Amino acid sequence: MRVVNFQVSVLGEVTRPGTFDVQDDYFTLPQALGMAGDMTIYGKRDNVLVMREENGRTTHAYLNLGDADVINSPYYHLQQNDVIYVEPNAPQRQSASYNRNAGVYISIASVLVSVAVLLTR
């Protein structure tokens, strides 16, 4: 039996996360990442998670894209409904806990303080 088209989902630190329709039964992890616009500079290339449902059970594997042996993994060739998750690196995870608009708020506060000082003198 040959699957003519199927879907894979690519999530995490990629340019365009989403679910993609695949027209061929031979589809690899790098092709899926390419469809998602490649990994961002914040993605961990040594710890890409591939999740797959087989016989009613969900299995997974962490793949190191920097290792040439990755092509020997059974998760390198994707199957119907596989989910790929690119984990963010440590600095990206840490920056997510901070308010990214803090600089804007500080600038607005300093302008307001400056205006208040000018008006009171």
Side-chain angles (χ1 to χ4, degrees), residues 40-117:
T40 66
I41 60 171
Y42 305 110
K44 289 178 74 174
R45 284 154 174 72
D46 61 346
N47 203 27
V48 176
L49 173 64
V50 179
M51 295 176 281
R52 175 175 297 162
E53 187 170 327
E54 295 177 307
N55 302 323
R57 287 186 47 228
T58 301
T59 61
H60 67 278
Y62 289 93
L63 302 178
N64 180 355
L65 298 181
D67 184 8
D69 230 12
V70 72
I71 62 173
N72 295 325
S73 169
Y75 290 87
Y76 181 79
H77 299 283
L78 300 177
Q79 297 177 7
Q80 168 76 351
N81 295 326
D82 279 358
V83 177
I84 299 139
Y85 175 70
V86 179
E87 183 181 349
N89 61 16
Q92 181 69 356
R93 268 195 321 259
Q94 185 177 12
S95 72
S97 65
Y98 299 119
N99 185 348
R100 293 180 188 229
N101 295 326
V104 174
Y105 298 144
I106 292 171
S107 296
I108 291 171
S110 68
V111 167
L112 292 175
V113 168
S114 298
V115 168
V117 167

Side-chain angles (χ1 to χ4, degrees), residues 24-36:
D24 195 9
D25 62 343
Y26 180 81
F27 195 66
T28 63
L29 180 60
Q31 289 172 313
L33 292 173
M35 287 183 84

